Amino acid sequence: VKLFTNRLSRVMIGASILGILFNLTGLTLSYKMNIPSGATIILLAVLSYLIAFAGKYLAGRRQRKEN
């Protein structure tokens, strides 16, 4: 969340929403796939962070290329 904003209130709200989303999705996937829930939740969070970081990097790179 801090990749996209510097305001503390937005970071806290975004982190709460993402935490709930990762937990619910991870628990659902782990139940349906019969795999450990903790690892699934962490894997989802890490993959989401990497995708957000890569997207931010590529957007910045595109913007620099246009200027």
Side-chain angles (χ1 to χ4, degrees):
V1 176
K2 187 138 169 132
L3 286 172
F4 300 105
T5 185
N6 288 327
R7 297 188 64 183
L8 180 61
S9 61
R10 290 184 182 169
V11 171
M12 290 172 39
I13 292 169
S16 298
I17 291 170
L18 288 174
I20 292 168
L21 180 70
F22 294 148
N23 279 301
L24 292 176
T25 306
L27 288 173
T28 302
L29 282 175
S30 69
Y31 177 75
K32 293 192 181 266
M33 299 175 72
N34 197 25
I35 54 178
S37 58
T40 306
I41 293 167
I42 297 300
L43 182 63
L44 285 172
V46 168
L47 287 175
S48 297
Y49 177 78
L50 291 175
I51 291 169
F53 186 78
K56 179 93 174 193
Y57 173 77
L58 292 174
R61 189 171 175 196
R62 182 183 300 170
Q63 187 178 22
R64 284 190 301 270
K65 189 182 262 188
E66 291 176 357
N67 291 335

